């Protein structure tokens, strides 16, 4: 993985902050879930493209609808980004669904289930409930 420069790291942080604010407060599309967060942003060093990892709390249909809504609002979001940030170029946005939070939750549930089964096999009480 390529190491980002300090400038690129700062730009990533600013784009992430502004993008999260735009999604939270300025987009009125009903397809976009209210619990949508920007997990990470990676702006290319030439400032031409930007990958934004989005996390949505809800089922897969909610996530798909949110991704569709964000993709259709890309022009509006770019305009708002250009007004808020003083960059040479306003990057083209590409939204990617981030499944890491859902994956972490499912792994935690599986670990708890395995621990409960081990406790039952060993004849111990289940103290977690």
């Amino acid at each position: 993985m390529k190491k980002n420069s300090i400038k690129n790291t700062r730009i990533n942080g600013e784009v992430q902050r502004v993008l999260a604010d735009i999604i939270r407060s300025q987009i009125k599309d009903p397809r976009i879930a209210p619990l949508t967060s920007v997990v990470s942003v990676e702006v290319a060093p030439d400032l031409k493209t930007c990958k934004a990892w989005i996390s949505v709390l809800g089922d897969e249909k909610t996530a798909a609808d949110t991704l569709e809504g964000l993709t259709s609002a890309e022009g509006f979001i770019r305009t708002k980004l250009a007004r808020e940030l003083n960059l040479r170029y306003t990057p083209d946005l590409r939204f990617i669904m981030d499944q890491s939070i859902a994956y972490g939750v499912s792994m935690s549930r599986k670990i708890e289930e395995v621990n409960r089964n081990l406790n039952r096999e060993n004849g111990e009480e289940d103290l977690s409930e």
Side-chain angles (χ1 to χ4, degrees):
M1 187 171 165
K2 192 169 82 171
K3 184 179 177 192
N4 285 340
S5 67
I6 293 172
K7 177 184 172 189
N8 202 333
T9 303
R10 281 195 344 246
I11 290 172
N12 288 344
E14 272 304 295
V15 170
Q16 181 178 356
R17 182 187 64 78
V18 172
L19 189 60
D21 183 55
I22 292 169
I23 290 171
R24 182 180 61 249
S25 63
Q26 297 181 20
I27 297 180
K28 306 292 187 224
D29 193 333
R31 294 176 290 185
I32 298 174
L35 295 175
T36 301
S37 60
V38 180
V39 177
S40 179
V41 168
E42 183 180 308
V43 179
D46 64 356
L47 304 177
K48 300 276 184 168
T49 60
C50 172
K51 294 179 187 175
W53 282 269
I54 305 295
S55 177
V56 178
L57 187 63
D59 59 353
E60 290 181 18
K61 183 181 180 336
T62 305
D65 288 346
T66 299
L67 196 58
E68 184 181 321
L70 288 173
T71 303
S72 71
E74 182 182 341
F76 174 79
I77 295 170
R78 282 189 71 203
T79 302
K80 293 293 184 179
L81 269 176
R83 287 186 185 151
E84 188 77 23
L85 298 174
N86 187 15
L87 295 174
R88 181 176 294 148
Y89 303 106
T90 303
D92 289 328
L93 298 171
R94 188 169 137 222
F95 295 104
I96 302 168
M97 195 53 62
D98 183 45
Q99 301 294 338
S100 62
I101 295 173
Y103 179 75
V105 169
S106 72
M107 289 305 292
S108 293
R109 287 184 182 150
K110 289 177 182 178
I111 291 170
E112 287 175 8
E113 183 180 328
V114 168
N115 284 337
R116 276 194 216 116
N117 289 339
L118 285 174
N119 287 343
R120 287 184 189 137
E121 288 176 6
N122 293 335
E124 299 174 7
E125 286 184 30
D126 190 5
L127 301 175
S128 65
E129 294 178 4

